[in-house]
Amino acid sequence: MIKYFYYNNSRKSIRIDCNYPGTIVLSNVLGNITRTYSYQANGQWINLSSLPSGTYFASTYGSSITFIK
């Protein structure tokens, strides 16, 4: 179960808290997969500061968020 899954603009990071490990798929507005990130269970910040500016979609296990970096 995913407890938290959001983008923090001030940290330029995604926060995911989940009961199990998994993978986040990041894609751009054209639908092209930009990056994939693995995360551990019980919470993790994923730093996205190296991404170029733009609008992105992050998804994992049926949950998704849209954010602008």
Side-chain angles (χ1 to χ4, degrees), residues 11-45:
R11 288 183 69 144
K12 304 293 186 220
S13 300
I14 287 177
R15 174 71 185 181
I16 181 131
D17 287 349
C18 197
N19 293 340
Y20 43 82
T23 302
I24 292 175
V25 176
L26 213 63
S27 45
N28 61 21
V29 292
L30 300 176
N32 299 321
I33 293 176
T34 305
R35 304 221 172 113
T36 58
Y37 299 94
S38 295
Y39 59 87
Q40 300 301 317
N42 302 321
Q44 182 172 340
W45 284 100

Side-chain angles (χ1 to χ4, degrees), residues 11-12 34-35 37 47-53 56 69:
R11 288 183 69 144
K12 304 293 186 220
T34 305
R35 304 221 172 113
Y37 299 94
N47 188 327
L48 304 177
S49 61
S50 65
L51 278 179
S53 296
Y56 294 92
K69 181 190 172 288

